[in-house]
Amino acid sequence: MPKHAAALILVALLALAGPARADEDPWPDLKSAIFGEKPVADGSAFMRVEAPPRAYDAAVVPVTIRFDGGHMPGRIRAVTLVVDKNPAPVAAVFRLGDGIADPTIGTRVRVNEYTNIHAVAETEDGSLFMAAVFVKAAGGCSAPASKTPDQAEAHLGEMRTKNLDAAQIGEPSRVELLIRHPNYSGMQMDQIKRTYVPARFIETIEVSYDGTKLLQVEGNISLSENPVVEFSFTPTETGRLSATAKDSDGAVFTGAWPVPATM
Amino acid sequence: MRALLFGHCGRCRVPPFARGRNPGPPGALSRRRLLGGTLALGLLGGAAARADEPLPVTEVAPGVFVFHGAHEEATAANLGGIANLGFVVGSDAVAVIDTGGSAAEGRRLLAAVRQRTALPVRWAIDTHFHPDHALGNAAFAGPDTTLVGHANLPRGLAARADTYLAGLRRDLGDAAAGTEILAPTLLVRDRLSLDLGGRTLELKAWPAAHTDADLTVLDTATGTLFAGDLVFLERVPAIDGSLRGWVDAIAGLRRETGIRRVVPGHGPASARWPDALDDEERYLALILTETRAALAAGRSLDQAVATVARSERGRWLLFDDYNDRNVATAYTELEWE
């Protein structure tokens, strides 16, 4: 797999630059552009992609890649999320560290037109498995990034967690990490300046717990404004969840939270 | 083909700002009944025959005229005329409040002004940037008329310009001809008074609420408030700014003095004040309370969308087209509280 999100965007764009027509299924070309000749087996026995069939907001489409622990062929090491018909189809690559309790991952994506959303899981031995869901939504990549641009600027880079206070020692706990960032797609128009708002997006997110790597995310413009990642880990007696995010302009944002939450 | 109310995302095939993809719940207010009259009119008239005809307006107070927008989505037959528009006639000049959903509708509004007075239209005021309110600006452009709007309006309109124009061309076809994006040049950050001769309009710019460029216009002579889409009646409100801001704005509107009646952005041409605020305040407060509760209980965005404000379903037109998105907007706003 290419290492950087930017490379993935490029690869995917090149894949689409051919004579493909709008009604053609881009997946076969995408698959070989992203994963090369490696076979990608049907993973539907143990994984599925969940998203609302008709999105209520094309710029904020919640997606969960859910795994059934009982039937997995091995430990999941990475999950690649592909919004097939987006201009930058690879929305994110999630690399799962040793501390991840359950590989089920959630996020929110932009959807530019009716499309399949594929998830490809890579197991420890390098085997690839996939699942997909069809989503009806359009216009998500060019929709204005923020309803309240002043707020977005003022709070750039703030991080939050959700459901962390419910995390129990020794129990796999699902939490969300939220990063306040417009994740400008480069497809949003600023007609006052007569130009497109330059792409500026969260490129990497690293999450760890007490020094153990949980998650590394490579993101791009197909992730929604204020990117979200939902994952699970098992807290120990006392520890600290920490996150570092970098955007494509090189800005670095960090956050850290004691887990379990101290009074 | 049906149009987006706000043409929010171009070829967006999703609600809200969405086409009426669902016929509506059987128990809801009968949209078909309410639309029946207008649809029949559209069939009889036809866009071409009506292009230069003055918009029908009601004089809701002396010198205050309102066109009642249909509770439909924009089509070639209605020329995008789905929002309430109005004008106020002074002894020296006229001010138009919202110019309509297309240049064609704006021209029909101008024709309605000309039926009543030969005074110049000195100001054309946009209550916000949504296309059903501001795409008629081109009909009023000229040396005698200044376009007026909230300080944030040019930015908001510019960000959506391509989307709005593409949406209008799709929905109106040839009837979209002549429509262009024209941003106001007289910008309001707080308050502004406009003297029409013998009567004064008091403009107030609001913090982000329905959008981040909401402007209200009070005709002090008659106590008539043009609220734009800060006030919805009958048709379900759509949140494109800030839910918390909108709830605050409603409280702020209640504190404003000298208001006797309101012209809502959508709903009847004129309604009682402040009673007209009650329905949307109840709906928005319910979304706020229930979305906060969903977040506190660790519920996902999907779970919140499936449950929040469902008890309001029978009370609003187009509820199914807009509520899901309203809740999603509320959720993504409130998770940062």
Side-chain angles (χ1 to χ4, degrees):
Chain A
M1 235 182 277
K3 203 165 169 61
H4 298 294
L8 283 169
I9 297 175
L10 187 64
V11 163
L13 287 174
L14 286 173
L16 287 179
R21 298 208 330 267
D23 54 351
E24 268 177 17
D25 180 6
W27 178 245
D29 286 346
L30 275 176
K31 188 173 62 154
S32 51
I34 302 167
F35 304 104
E37 296 309 305
K38 253 177 144 178
V40 182
D42 176 15
S44 56
F46 61 91
M47 65 185 283
R48 66 178 187 273
V49 187
E50 297 173 353
R54 185 180 285 273
Y56 20 83
D57 182 344
V60 187
V61 179
V63 178
T64 300
I65 306 115
R66 195 173 298 284
F67 291 89
D68 173 0
H71 295 88
M72 287 194 298
R75 192 175 177 83
I76 306 296
R77 280 303 185 188
V79 177
T80 303
L81 184 65
V82 183
V83 184
D84 294 16
K85 291 201 175 177
N86 270 10
V90 180
V93 180
F94 304 91
R95 297 183 196 286
L96 312 186
D98 291 334
I100 286 286
D102 165 357
T104 296
I105 292 285
T107 191
R108 298 175 193 161
V109 298
R110 294 172 164 138
V111 173
N112 214 44
E113 56 181 299
Y114 285 24
T115 183
N116 278 317
I117 296 179
H118 277 88
V120 174
E122 184 180 348
T123 56
E124 239 163 353
D125 67 0
S127 306
L128 300 176
F129 298 89
M130 69 172 194
V133 68
F134 186 71
V135 172
K136 291 181 177 178
C141 294
S142 53
S146 180
K147 295 176 170 65
T148 51
D150 301 329
Q151 287 284 309
E153 288 292 323
H155 296 277
L156 181 78
E158 280 183 18
M159 286 191 189
R160 281 203 176 184
T161 59
K162 266 207 285 190
N163 302 336
L164 201 56
D165 46 1
Q168 303 276 327
I169 296 168
E171 299 284 331
S173 304
R174 293 199 65 72
V175 300
E176 284 178 58
L177 172 69
L178 296 77
I179 304 167
R180 201 139 179 189
H181 196 287
N183 237 41
Y184 289 124
S185 69
M187 296 172 61
Q188 293 136 339
M189 197 66 188
D190 180 344
Q191 291 208 338
I192 293 177
K193 294 180 186 152
R194 292 272 160 202
T195 179
Y196 288 95
V197 180
R200 181 182 180 182
F201 54 92
I202 295 289
E203 224 167 33
T204 61
I205 308 169
E206 289 185 2
V207 187
S208 58
Y209 180 67
D210 252 7
T212 304
K213 273 191 182 170
L214 295 180
L215 195 63
Q216 187 201 13
V217 185
E218 293 164 21
N220 80 29
I221 62 164
S222 288
L223 292 183
S224 300
E225 175 189 9
N226 300 337
V228 172
V229 55
E230 184 186 11
F231 57 93
S232 64
F233 74 107
T234 306
T236 54
E237 293 271 325
T238 54
R240 224 163 69 113
L241 186 74
S242 58
T244 302
K246 286 183 193 146
D247 78 7
S248 53
D249 279 12
V252 177
F253 314 106
T254 58
W257 305 266
V259 185
T262 47
M263 293 301 120
Chain B
M1 194 191 236
R2 285 214 178 94
L4 310 178
L5 171 55
F6 302 143
H8 180 70
C9 45
R11 299 167 53 235
C12 193
R13 276 157 270 181
V14 294
F17 304 6
R19 47 208 76 200
R21 64 201 158 82
N22 297 323
L29 282 169
S30 168
R31 183 173 161 213
R32 182 174 300 167
R33 178 169 56 78
L34 276 149
L35 297 187
T38 319
L39 289 174
L41 203 69
L43 289 172
L44 288 174
R50 298 165 52 199
D52 295 324
E53 208 176 291
L55 283 180
V57 292
T58 309
E59 189 165 9
V60 300
V64 180
F65 299 87
V66 176
F67 165 70
H68 175 227
H71 290 317
E72 307 173 1
E73 307 290 10
T75 63
N78 64 31
L79 300 177
I82 61 171
N84 292 339
L85 317 172
F87 56 93
V88 179
V89 182
S91 56
D92 298 336
V94 179
V96 166
I97 298 113
D98 282 339
T99 57
S102 62
E105 194 198 9
R107 285 192 294 271
R108 292 193 60 201
L109 179 61
L110 181 57
V113 174
R114 286 291 156 257
Q115 271 191 328
R116 304 281 181 313
T117 175
L119 290 171
V121 177
R122 196 158 290 156
W123 294 284
I125 305 164
D126 294 332
T127 60
H128 60 297
F129 49 66
H130 281 152
D132 49 332
H133 298 261
L135 287 192
N137 285 0
F140 297 91
D144 294 339
T145 306
T146 301
L147 294 176
V148 188
H150 189 291
N152 288 341
L153 196 146
R155 175 179 71 185
L157 188 60
R160 295 159 177 83
D162 288 351
T163 300
Y164 285 176
L165 288 177
L168 197 76
R169 280 193 288 271
R170 180 195 61 223
D171 298 325
L172 268 62
D174 293 344
T179 301
E180 45 184 312
I181 300 290
L182 289 179
T185 52
L186 178 54
L187 301 181
V188 185
R189 287 183 190 282
D190 183 18
R191 290 181 186 264
L192 176 73
S193 298
L194 299 177
D195 184 0
L196 301 183
R199 72 198 305 163
T200 303
L201 300 183
E202 298 290 349
L203 281 56
K204 176 172 166 55
W206 295 81
H210 169 65
T211 67
D212 77 339
D214 298 319
L215 186 70
T216 54
V217 181
L218 176 64
D219 171 47
T220 53
T222 63
T224 305
L225 178 76
F226 286 86
D229 282 2
L230 281 181
V231 179
F232 275 70
L233 284 160
E234 299 166 1
R235 177 175 186 140
V236 70
I239 309 164
D240 194 19
S242 162
L243 172 60
R244 284 189 301 170
W246 201 343
V247 170
D248 290 347
I250 290 170
L253 282 165
R254 288 192 188 281
R255 289 193 295 270
E256 294 284 304
T257 54
I259 305 172
R260 293 218 284 274
R261 72 181 64 77
V262 61
V263 179
H266 298 273
S270 169
R272 282 161 55 103
W273 187 262
D275 312 23
L277 294 168
D278 294 351
D279 281 355
E280 75 169 17
E281 184 174 50
R282 183 195 66 238
Y283 173 68
L284 296 173
L286 188 69
I287 293 187
L288 188 67
T289 308
E290 293 190 354
T291 305
R292 278 182 176 150
L295 281 162
R299 299 209 200 296
S300 69
L301 176 55
D302 274 333
Q303 288 166 332
V305 165
T307 54
V308 170
R310 304 307 298 179
S311 60
E312 288 281 312
R313 191 165 184 247
R315 295 177 180 240
W316 297 97
L317 293 165
L318 306 184
F319 180 87
D320 285 354
D321 297 322
Y322 291 85
N323 189 66
D324 287 1
R325 170 116 172 201
N326 282 340
V327 175
T329 301
Y331 186 99
T332 52
E333 175 186 343
L334 297 176
E335 68 189 353
W336 286 98
E337 281 191 300

